[in-house]
Amino acid sequence: MPCLFALGLFLVTAGIPAFAQQGRTLNSHTFELGKIVSTPRETLSQQARQLYEAGQFAEAANLWRQAADLYAQQGAILNQAQTLNYLATAYQELGQWSRAETAIETSINLLQKNNSSTAIAILAQALNNKGSLQLARGQTEAALETWKQAEQNYARAKNEIGKLGSRINQASALQALGQYRRSKTLLDQLVGELKNQPDSPVKADGLRSLGIALQTIGDLLQSKEILEQSWAISQRLGASSNPGETLLSIGNIARDLEEYEVARAYYQAAKIRAKNAIASIQAQLNLLSLFVQTKQWEAARALVPEIESTISNLSPSRAAIYARVNFAESLMQVSEGSGELGSKSERESVTSVAQILATGVQQAQQISDKRAEAYSLNQLGKLYEQNQQWQDAENLTQQVLQIAQEIDANDITARAAWQLGRILERQGDITASIAAYRNAYNNLQSLRSDLVAINPDAQFNFRDDVEPVYREFASLLLQPNANQEDIKQARTVIEALQLAELDNFFRDACLDIHPAQIDEIDTQAAVFYPIILSDRLEVILSLPKQPLRHYSTPLGATQVESILQKMYSSLYLGYSSPERLRFSQQIYDWVIKPAAADLNNSKITTLVFVPDGFLRNLPMAALYDGKQYLVEKYALALSSGLQLFPQGLQRQKPTALTVGLTEARQGFSALPGVLVELKQIAVELNSKILLDKQFTRQTFQQQMNATSFEIVHLATHGQFSSNPEETFLLTWDDRINIQDFDQFFQKRRVGILKPIELLVLSACQTASGDKRAALGLAGLALRSGASSTLASLWSVNDESTANLMSEFYRQLTGSNSSITKAEALRQAQLALLKNPLFDHPYFWASFVLVGNWL
């Protein structure tokens, strides 16, 4: 199932709202309707438009269907085609895909042979609408072609805002097809084109739509800039079709950037500027959820009566029903977070929330909106679950699953199946719970690309709504008596979680999956999957030609994370050595000790870790068995999952591009040892050197696009972060971020130049205090397309780094050509360990090999 971008996000030009959470409008300025026959039926159609904008899609569809029939009887072809197009949008909202397709095809057929300017404008609208339907039904390539046709017809109709919407939709289709660089290039081009146009209401609306598109793909800073430009133009012109919507979108971006006070100010402004009750309540609800997120319980409780008053006066519509569900969700969290559980006020709150949701269900049934009904019922089931009314919760959730299946709503199915799994587990029915979790997991997998930017009506928050499904499913599968099938399924789930985390990091489903068995990669390597679960640390062990096994340590996630954090801190100079060794040995006992005998018996030489959580930030080389560090016995590597393992790369006499900074730049300190490092590397490799002023962003890009290098070595400041915006490498004049890697390494990714076999990042570090910072390292590694990446988890002493790198390359390119990259790194680390000046793990443990260790 493809991304659902077009359903309520971008199709302002198709008469679909620009942003589903902020109210629904059919933009009257989209078309020049020209000389369409004026009849009393237009009153019927106008009523339908009003119902649609209020979220009453079933009623709107009924009226549009009547109007279309009347226009057909009268022979008013253009009016009929226009009305059928609107009817198709309502059917799409209701999930009635076949009816939507029939309506839109009929509209297009009526217009095909009419070359009037009015017919062309309506045809462009119909094609845009058809593209949204195709994308929603998984026909992504067809949607892209249809939107290109729509753009051509908008051009013929001289409708600039229509052209813009069609091109924004093309960008979403390109992203759904995995062509992320083309998508971003198109959006950047649109930014430039709009900025060069004179201020006008059309430009303001175009910038608003473009800002929302950029927000969806994760380019938050540019999105915020574009939306603010849209707002400023609207202010100067005194015209804006959706003033509150723009402000609300800016507030959402500020919230994503953790600028909470800024978000609060925008939400409050959006409420004041709201053009109707729905827009006002949405701003209030976002403000309430912000208070809940930031644990401002007093402010949250103070806002509740105002929201209750507004919601109670809303007429039945999807937007009103969703407002009720969102309000109920926040109320449940307010009750839990403010410590009222078990009190009289908490019981009254539960009753109040149940009534809010029950009214939502009744209203959804009243307007025949199955999706809104399922959404409300699922939240009501969650309330019963929270109140431990297990049978009622189960019955409601089963109803949700039945409705979701009827309307092919995979996103609601995923939520409801997860909820059912939790409920069944609490009732002790583990077999049925596993089946429910498998259903949730399979639906999340089918929604993989959509999870990045799904329709805001059912927005998934990765940390709250996606990640727990994978972890809880794995936890259920890894019972003490788990069979091979269950353990294999758990391993698959954890590898899928690695992919999902990277998808969420990149804001796109960018990674191809190539499953690989450990026996096919290296018969002397063992793979460890340590998994941090709520009540224990689980480890899955994969040994060549042996069944999978698993073992656990009964410690809660908080305790595990605490020990991991302490070990990380202990690796710095000045920390007590006995304490450091104690933490290192404790983690060794959790992860390695139960498998030590099997490793010896299987003659294992390399340990590969697919680390989870904060374990990604820790150097496994520094684990301690009471006598030796792990690196003294084994070569080590990290992987984001063996299904990402690059295949088919052959080592040859390597050529290298080596670049670095020695001088202080952009607020970062000097790296005088870099010159020594690059000179020593030049002794071992045939290398092209870019140093200081030669190492500009442009020069580096030119070199990457001009020549095939097996090795690219960057000795420069850099940072890995769980935020892509804060993951970068420093050049003399600029920064290279993760998005740039697509562009810089594109020729290698598509096969024009040979892929990089080894990417080395020798002076980088993980962001301080960021538990998920190593996602940035994995992101850079994968975005480059390099077979292997060697990087430092923290920035270390210049001299020790130069010595380690020199020895690494000497080992890698020496007479023993069969030595693996992992073994070459091990020998380099051992060389430092044997040097009294650098024997502390601070100097040698920070270097990790990610990806192909051979």
Side-chain angles (χ1 to χ4, degrees), residues 587-774:
I587 298 168
Y588 173 91
D589 289 347
W590 294 345
V591 179
I592 306 297
K593 186 176 180 180
D598 288 337
L599 297 177
N600 290 332
N601 294 336
S602 300
K603 297 181 171 54
I604 296 298
T605 60
T606 302
L607 306 185
V608 181
F609 295 90
V610 183
D612 180 38
F614 195 77
L615 281 162
R616 296 190 188 98
N617 290 13
L618 287 182
M620 296 294 113
L623 297 188
Y624 189 70
D625 68 359
K627 297 180 180 179
Q628 292 179 297
Y629 290 110
L630 196 60
V631 74
E632 295 182 77
K633 297 177 66 175
Y634 300 101
L636 305 166
L638 304 179
S639 173
S640 296
L642 294 182
Q643 57 186 338
L644 299 175
F645 195 93
Q647 300 294 305
L649 291 172
Q650 300 296 322
R651 185 174 310 169
Q652 301 173 352
K653 181 70 175 175
T655 59
L657 174 64
T658 58
V659 302
L661 295 178
T662 64
E663 300 181 23
R665 299 299 295 171
Q666 304 175 46
F668 288 84
S669 61
L671 294 169
V674 164
L675 180 59
V676 176
E677 180 178 334
L678 297 191
K679 285 183 176 179
Q680 290 179 350
I681 293 171
V683 174
E684 308 295 340
L685 301 175
N686 177 17
S687 61
K688 166 75 174 179
I689 298 176
L690 300 177
L691 190 65
D692 290 333
K693 292 181 180 179
Q694 297 174 315
F695 176 32
T696 65
R697 177 189 172 94
Q698 182 179 1
T699 305
F700 179 67
Q701 184 175 1
Q702 288 172 346
Q703 287 293 327
M704 291 299 298
N705 285 330
T707 310
S708 289
F709 297 102
E710 281 79 34
I711 297 172
V712 175
H713 183 108
L714 296 107
T716 179
H717 284 293
Q719 178 176 275
F720 310 124
S721 168
S722 58
N723 180 358
E725 303 289 342
E726 296 172 5
T727 296
F728 63 88
L729 304 173
L730 205 67
T731 67
W732 178 264
D733 61 340
D734 203 350
R735 294 184 177 186
I736 301 171
N737 61 37
I738 264 193
Q739 286 77 17
D740 295 326
F741 265 51
D742 265 352
Q743 183 179 359
F744 287 13
F745 291 77
Q746 180 67 13
K747 286 188 177 181
R748 288 163 173 79
R749 293 172 68 89
V750 300
I752 297 174
L753 294 174
K754 290 182 180 179
I756 296 167
E757 184 159 344
L758 177 63
L759 173 68
V760 180
L761 310 168
S762 79
C764 300
Q765 60 186 4
T766 52
S768 176
D770 187 345
K771 293 182 179 180
R772 297 158 66 89

Side-chain angles (χ1 to χ4, degrees), residues 615-621 636-638 720 758-761 766 774 777 788-794 804-805 825 829 844-851:
L615 281 162
R616 296 190 188 98
N617 290 13
L618 287 182
M620 296 294 113
L636 305 166
L638 304 179
F720 310 124
L758 177 63
L759 173 68
V760 180
L761 310 168
T766 52
L777 168 55
S788 314
T789 299
L790 175 59
S792 55
L793 295 175
W794 58 83
L804 182 139
M805 289 298 170
L825 174 60
Q829 290 176 308
W844 51 263
S846 74
F847 296 94
V848 295
L849 185 69
V850 181

Side-chain angles (χ1 to χ4, degrees), residues 90 106 132 160 212 289 297 374 432 465 629 654 743 746 750 766 836 847:
T106 304
S132 77
E160 292 301 318
I212 292 170
S289 68
W297 305 120
D465 303 318
Y629 290 110
Q743 183 179 359
Q746 180 67 13
V750 300
T766 52
F847 296 94

